[in-house]
Amino acid sequence: MKTIVLDTSSVISLVTNNLLEIIKPLKEKFKGTFYIPESVEYELIDKPLETKMFKLEAIMVSKAIEDKDFVVYEESIDVGSLLHKINNLYFVNGKPIRIVSKAEVEALALAIKLESSAYAVDERTMRLVIEDPMRLKKIQENKLHMKVTINYEFMNEIKNLVKNVKVIRSTELVLMAYEFGLLDKYLINVSREQLLDALLWGLKIRGCSISNEEVESLTDFEL
């Protein structure tokens, strides 16, 4: 069975841009399942329902789960070892830097467990842990203004664990929807270029870690 696992950050980017509507038709074209772990469900629904700011978005995500657009993976997911390795990957003055939460790691662990076609995550730290841990080390040094050391043993073990994980962002999901014409209804007095620009900038402004250069590059590629 084909699967895509979504992290909290990628779903937030979609719901805050009113783009949850693309999930059902994308899932149908994918002919697979879009999973979220229980910890992501908690962060998207249970936690925000206790507040005022994101209550509406929580209700919208809850409806998407009820409609089976997202499926909550209810079996146990072992995250202990991976969580420990990631949170003991970088050190300052001999003390580890805690860079991720259990919920963030649970989605990645699920993608590994299911051998998913893709793992959707908009948050920069987790993406760089997978794709470029040395760049994340430099970012941490710039942020903390201190020398950061790295545990190369854990870095290599993490690389081995995630070697088959294909990382995507909400941008890739939205671009697929754009290419399939799922968003053509918005082409009212605007060009395809304007729609594409609005989609990418909306995602960037509301949560997706994507650079200005990437926005320009993706726009040029799509057009």
Side-chain angles (χ1 to χ4, degrees), residues 29-82:
K29 289 182 178 295
F30 177 62
K31 293 181 172 58
T33 303
F34 284 19
Y35 274 115
I36 60 172
E38 288 183 309
S39 60
V40 168
E41 179 189 31
Y42 172 77
E43 288 194 330
L44 289 170
I45 299 175
D46 299 345
K47 190 174 179 180
L49 280 176
E50 298 173 358
T51 70
K52 301 296 183 184
M53 186 174 293
F54 298 111
K55 183 174 286 188
L56 176 59
E57 287 82 358
I59 292 170
M60 294 167 71
V61 174
S62 180
K63 180 66 165 61
I65 292 173
E66 182 182 338
D67 292 344
K68 305 298 183 184
D69 298 339
F70 300 121
V71 175
V72 179
Y73 190 85
E74 296 179 343
E75 296 179 27
S76 64
I77 306 168
D78 182 14
V79 300
S81 177
L82 183 57

Side-chain angles (χ1 to χ4, degrees), residues 156-184:
N156 291 329
E157 289 179 9
I158 293 167
K159 279 185 176 180
N160 185 58
L161 285 169
V162 303
K163 62 184 178 182
N164 295 320
V165 175
K166 178 177 175 55
V167 179
I168 64 172
R169 289 170 289 190
S170 59
T171 48
E172 281 79 5
L173 295 172
V174 171
L175 286 173
M176 282 190 284
Y178 172 84
E179 292 171 1
F180 285 134
L182 301 178
L183 298 165
D184 284 0

Side-chain angles (χ1 to χ4, degrees), residues 8-215:
T8 305
S9 59
S10 58
V11 179
I12 287 175
S13 294
L14 293 172
V15 69
T16 54
N17 283 282
N18 198 29
L19 289 169
L20 281 184
E21 65 182 78
I22 70 173
I23 295 299
K24 187 182 295 294
L26 280 182
K27 190 182 72 169
E28 291 172 356
K29 289 182 178 295
F30 177 62
K31 293 181 172 58
T33 303
F34 284 19
Y35 274 115
I36 60 172
E38 288 183 309
S39 60
V40 168
E41 179 189 31
Y42 172 77
E43 288 194 330
L44 289 170
I45 299 175
D46 299 345
K47 190 174 179 180
L49 280 176
E50 298 173 358
T51 70
K52 301 296 183 184
M53 186 174 293
F54 298 111
K55 183 174 286 188
L56 176 59
E57 287 82 358
I59 292 170
M60 294 167 71
V61 174
S62 180
K63 180 66 165 61
I65 292 173
E66 182 182 338
D67 292 344
K68 305 298 183 184
D69 298 339
F70 300 121
V71 175
V72 179
Y73 190 85
E74 296 179 343
E75 296 179 27
S76 64
I77 306 168
D78 182 14
V79 300
S81 177
L82 183 57
L83 178 64
H84 174 75
K85 287 180 172 66
I86 294 176
N87 279 333
N88 286 271
L89 184 58
Y90 303 104
F91 286 78
V92 169
N93 294 330
K95 296 181 179 179
I97 307 173
R98 184 179 183 276
I99 57 173
V100 294
S101 67
K102 181 181 178 181
E104 290 174 298
V105 176
E106 195 165 77
L108 173 58
L110 179 58
I112 295 170
K113 178 179 180 178
L114 297 178
E115 298 181 354
S116 296
S117 300
Y119 162 55
V121 54
D122 282 8
E123 202 276 323
R124 182 176 66 172
T125 297
M126 183 58 81
R127 284 197 301 108
L128 289 179
V129 165
I130 298 169
E131 298 178 331
D132 196 347
M134 295 306 296
R135 182 183 169 203
L136 182 55
K137 174 181 178 292
K138 293 179 181 178
I139 290 172
Q140 291 291 333
E141 288 178 332
N142 292 335
K143 176 183 176 181
L144 299 171
H145 304 290
M146 299 178 73
K147 177 68 176 177
V148 173
T149 58
I150 189 166
N151 184 326
Y152 287 98
E153 179 183 351
F154 280 180
M155 183 183 75
N156 291 329
E157 289 179 9
I158 293 167
K159 279 185 176 180
N160 185 58
L161 285 169
V162 303
K163 62 184 178 182
N164 295 320
V165 175
K166 178 177 175 55
V167 179
I168 64 172
R169 289 170 289 190
S170 59
T171 48
E172 281 79 5
L173 295 172
V174 171
L175 286 173
M176 282 190 284
Y178 172 84
E179 292 171 1
F180 285 134
L182 301 178
L183 298 165
D184 284 0
K185 66 180 181 179
Y186 295 113
L187 292 172
I188 303 172
N189 299 322
V190 297
S191 66
R192 292 192 66 81
E193 181 176 0
Q194 288 175 308
L195 174 60
L196 180 59
D197 188 63
L199 290 168
L200 293 174
W201 275 99
L203 292 169
K204 175 178 171 58
I205 291 168
R206 299 180 186 92
C208 184
S209 177
I210 179 172
S211 68
N212 295 358
E213 292 75 15
E214 286 178 295
V215 170

